[in-house]
Amino acid sequence: TKESGRNHYQFYNPQMGVEIAENFTLENQLHQAVKNGEMILHYQPQINIKTGQVYGLEALIRWKSPQLGLIKPGKFIPLAEKTGLILPMGEWVLKTACQQNKKWQQMGLPPVIISVNLSAQQLQQPNLIETVENTLESVGLDPKWLELEVTESMLMKNITIAKKTLQELREMGVYISMDDFGTGYSSLGYLKKFPFDTLKIDQSFVKELNQSSQDLHIISAIMTLSRGFNLRVIAEGVENQEQLKLLKELNCEEMQGYLFSRPLSSEDVLKYLIGFQKQ
Ligand code: C2E
Ligand code: CA
Ligand code: CA
Ligand code: CA
């Protein structure tokens, strides 16, 4: 009914009612969680296997709920998107990730690029550029240490706005990465339309690499394309030595996955980076 609030929930059948009720309480909890500072970031290292260096860290949000435990983003990002909560949440992620990266630099660690996932709604915000600019300035982080990850479906929503925004961000000196590359409908056309620096090969192509000659051919084609477009390529979801070996043979130099490290808390990143330095 109209009175049930700004989400305009309508109860069509009892089963749906149950789902809606669950979502509604989750929505309330999520609101509180953001307010109470229950969101945390984990960071997953991105390795260049040729140089043996950590060149980046991807910031991945988690909800540390006192009642429910550690909750992965798949469980609450869709709801945050639907309710608009993704906007304050996204700003918090950007700021926290940049601050953390600055902190590591001030500790004297070798500088790395911090990768932040954008959401569809953030990309449609006219003030995104200003938000990024202000955040970098207030934190004192050079734009070249920030990368923003977008997916194809986010770009599709409004191609004109997305293109203009990404171009301006890039002019600012921020890197732009296409996440989950190869899974959308127009990935190839988008390479021409949008100013990417990096392609992230979707995990689905890496997963069965040792059994699938098709995946091998797809990744090989992506590598060829990337050279033509002068793009960096990173393979996601690398879990075992076989995958590593095959990716190496395909001349893919940058990788992210459980084989190297799971996403880590900021404290564990510190240990990881210091350990890496000593090697
Ligand atoms: P994504 O951007 O594609 O992130 C990669 C996901 O793969 C992460 O899941 C990561 O933990 C997982 N992963 C990394 N290495 C491996 C591996 O070797 N094997 C397997 N099986 N998985 C691996 P996570 O952290 O649960 O995040 C899921 C999705 O939630 C992300 O997918 C991203 O779309 C979204 N997300 C995460 N953090 C944020 C955020 O701060 N903002 C927004 N808008 N979305 C976020
Ligand atoms: Ca990502
Ligand atoms: Ca991805
Ligand atoms: Ca994904």
Side-chain angles (χ1 to χ4, degrees):
T1 65
K2 273 213 177 98
E3 293 84 332
S4 66
R6 59 195 167 77
N7 294 300
H8 308 295
Y9 289 136
Q10 294 186 354
F11 293 81
Y12 292 110
N13 63 49
Q15 178 48 40
M16 214 173 148
V18 172
E19 270 170 37
I20 288 165
E22 275 173 5
N23 269 339
F24 189 71
T25 53
L26 187 62
E27 183 187 339
N28 277 341
Q29 282 176 305
L30 198 56
H31 253 288
Q32 286 307 318
V34 175
K35 267 204 214 143
N36 298 344
E38 291 173 17
M39 296 294 155
I40 58 165
L41 291 184
H42 278 181
Y43 302 89
Q44 189 175 34
Q46 303 177 326
I47 316 287
N48 184 314
I49 54 156
K50 207 165 171 191
T51 63
Q53 306 267 321
V54 178
Y55 77 87
L57 292 162
E58 180 177 14
L60 295 159
I61 195 169
R62 274 98 184 83
W63 173 10
K64 210 172 180 177
S65 159
Q67 294 92 29
L68 308 166
L70 199 67
I71 305 170
K72 292 265 196 96
K75 290 253 190 250
F76 61 88
I77 292 275
L79 187 63
E81 288 258 7
K82 216 160 60 184
T83 57
L85 200 56
I86 194 76
L87 291 175
M89 199 184 277
E91 281 194 25
W92 176 84
V93 172
L94 181 69
K95 178 122 195 216
T96 307
C98 288
Q99 279 173 336
Q100 186 58 68
N101 202 23
K102 180 74 185 182
K103 239 186 246 172
W104 285 321
Q105 290 185 3
Q106 286 170 332
M107 287 174 173
L109 290 162
V112 295
I113 295 171
I114 195 92
S115 285
V116 171
N117 291 285
L118 286 185
S119 72
Q121 279 198 52
Q122 275 176 292
L123 195 62
Q124 300 300 326
Q125 291 299 302
N127 66 353
L128 176 67
I129 295 153
E130 217 182 303
T131 304
V132 173
E133 206 163 26
N134 291 342
T135 304
L136 288 168
E137 203 180 283
S138 76
V139 170
L141 186 71
D142 191 310
K144 72 177 180 195
W145 302 118
L146 174 65
E147 180 165 72
L148 297 173
E149 299 193 3
V150 298
T151 61
E152 189 184 323
S153 61
M154 289 167 48
L155 303 174
M156 268 165 55
K157 299 223 159 121
N158 189 327
I159 293 183
T160 320
I161 293 186
K163 187 175 170 184
K164 190 163 172 284
T165 304
L166 294 187
Q167 256 160 2
E168 284 186 37
L169 287 167
R170 205 169 184 234
E171 274 159 29
M172 202 190 293
V174 171
Y175 293 112
I176 308 294
S177 168
M178 193 186 205
D179 205 356
D180 303 346
F181 184 72
T183 57
Y185 291 108
S186 22
S187 304
L188 296 188
Y190 279 15
L191 286 186
K192 223 173 83 177
K193 270 202 190 80
F194 294 99
F196 297 114
D197 300 286
T198 310
L199 299 182
K200 297 190 83 174
I201 300 177
D202 190 66
Q203 320 199 351
S204 59
F205 301 116
V206 175
K207 204 172 167 111
E208 286 156 10
L209 198 51
N210 42 350
Q211 300 140 41
S212 159
S213 68
Q214 286 165 329
D215 289 337
L216 213 72
H217 286 303
I218 289 173
I219 295 180
S220 170
I222 294 176
M223 295 311 301
T224 305
L225 264 171
S226 72
R227 280 188 287 275
F229 283 87
N230 199 18
L231 295 163
R232 263 176 45 202
V233 177
I234 170 161
E236 278 196 282
V238 183
E239 293 183 350
N240 58 52
Q241 292 292 339
E242 290 88 343
Q243 293 164 342
L244 170 64
K245 181 172 165 279
L246 290 167
L247 286 164
K248 245 187 197 166
E249 285 168 11
L250 291 167
N251 292 315
C252 181
E253 290 174 9
E254 296 178 7
M255 301 184 198
Q256 180 180 350
Y258 296 163
L259 178 64
F260 306 98
S261 170
R262 296 202 166 240
L264 304 168
S265 67
S266 55
E267 298 83 24
D268 285 346
V269 168
L270 194 59
K271 288 182 210 153
Y272 185 87
L273 290 180
I274 290 170
F276 225 87
Q277 249 182 331
K278 283 191 192 134
Q279 274 174 21

